[in-house]
Amino acid sequence: MVINVEKVRENIATAAHKSGREASDITLIGVTKTVGVQRIRELIQAGVTHLGENRVQEFLPKYVELSTQNPTWHFIGHLQRNKVKQVVDKVSLIHSIDNMDLILEVNKRAEIIKKRVDVLLEINIANEPSKYGILPENAKEMAKRMFELTYVNFRGIMCVAPFVENGEKNRSLFKKMRKISVDIAEFIPYTARPPEISMGMSGDYCVAIEEGATMVRIGTALVGDRH
């Protein structure tokens, strides 16, 4: 099966230009959930070096098998407290911080290994009962508490918008995410880099970029349907 990196990158560039940015301002994260190691190698060879995994038990063997390719790993799925110690030293960014107990565990495990861990706050932007994440109205207070932790680098926000075939249906939610990011930036001094907004998947990533996404998490559009 063909890996569609070129087409996805063209779409990213077009959407980025619409928002007054360059394609290089957007991080493409290839979602490798249920994707075999050989196909992931092909994805890396095609230039997608940021990879996202949802489940710890699936991520760990891939981390070992692909160590010589040295990809940049992102953990993008729901993370249980008892699994934090298994990923905290292996991933570049944890996207899915959704409660205080979890971030305190990340901070504790990061202190043990003497590493500051980059994290994003997951927001349930559409208030869906089936989704993880904190409600938008609680984002500023949660971000402030995360920012105050010693071994955590608060890097921004993330959402999993409703699944849609027409990305326009999520535009208003992405606008809301952008507004939350701006509000948080008023009291959190991002120094080395601007804040990240991780939003947009295969069905809506172009609209997400137009509305300010700095990271998009793409699976099906890159590697086709997965089981």
Side-chain angles (χ1 to χ4, degrees):
M1 185 178 291
V2 175
I3 292 177
N4 302 307
V5 175
E6 185 176 349
K7 179 61 176 176
V8 170
R9 290 205 181 278
E10 287 177 2
N11 291 340
I12 288 173
T14 299
H17 291 154
K18 286 183 179 180
S19 66
R21 295 179 292 165
E22 299 296 327
S24 58
D25 296 326
I26 315 300
T27 301
L28 168 60
I29 300 169
V31 177
T32 51
K33 173 185 175 182
T34 74
V35 178
V37 169
Q38 181 52 44
R39 295 216 66 215
I40 298 175
R41 287 197 178 100
E42 294 173 15
L43 198 59
I44 295 171
Q45 289 170 0
V48 180
T49 58
H50 287 259
L51 305 177
E53 279 287 335
N54 295 64
R55 300 189 178 104
V56 174
Q57 62 269 32
E58 185 179 350
F59 162 63
L60 293 176
K62 290 177 179 177
Y63 175 83
V64 174
E65 291 188 65
L66 293 164
S67 59
T68 56
Q69 273 73 45
N70 197 32
T72 299
W73 288 104
H74 298 246
F75 194 82
I76 61 176
H78 178 62
L79 181 59
Q80 297 173 306
R81 284 179 60 201
N82 64 351
K83 300 291 181 64
V84 169
K85 62 183 178 182
Q86 295 177 275
V87 303
V88 74
D89 60 335
K90 300 177 179 66
V91 299
S92 169
L93 181 63
I94 299 174
H95 290 232
S96 47
I97 300 297
D98 60 3
N99 64 79
M100 201 63 205
D101 287 342
L102 176 59
I103 194 59
L104 289 174
E105 182 68 17
V106 171
N107 189 68
K108 183 178 81 172
R109 293 294 173 181
E111 181 177 11
I112 291 171
I113 63 174
K114 302 302 178 189
K115 172 190 174 183
R116 288 183 63 90
V117 177
D118 287 356
V119 299
L120 302 180
L121 173 60
E122 181 174 1
I123 297 173
N124 188 343
I125 195 63
N127 196 12
E128 295 178 275
S130 61
K131 297 275 181 70
Y132 293 102
I134 69 160
L135 296 178
E137 57 264 31
N138 299 326
K140 289 177 70 174
E141 179 59 29
M142 181 70 173
K144 183 177 180 181
R145 296 175 71 186
M146 291 168 64
F147 177 74
E148 292 170 349
L149 296 172
T150 304
Y151 285 90
V152 166
N153 289 325
F154 178 79
R155 291 296 315 130
I157 57 177
M158 172 266 213
C159 77
V160 180
F163 174 78
V164 294
E165 293 185 1
N166 180 358
E168 287 294 334
K169 292 183 177 181
N170 282 336
R171 187 178 291 275
S172 63
L173 297 177
F174 294 146
K175 286 180 181 289
K176 192 173 181 179
M177 283 288 288
R178 173 64 178 167
K179 175 64 164 55
I180 292 170
S181 177
V182 171
D183 289 346
I184 290 174
E186 289 180 357
F187 66 90
I188 289 184
Y190 294 98
T191 52
R193 308 187 297 265
E196 303 287 1
I197 307 177
S198 172
M199 62 184 186
M201 297 184 288
S202 290
D204 56 17
Y205 68 96
C206 292
V207 174
I209 292 169
E210 290 172 14
E211 296 302 333
T214 65
M215 294 180 164
V216 291
R217 310 180 305 272
I218 312 297
T220 302
L222 280 175
V223 297
D225 291 334
R226 294 165 296 154
H227 299 290

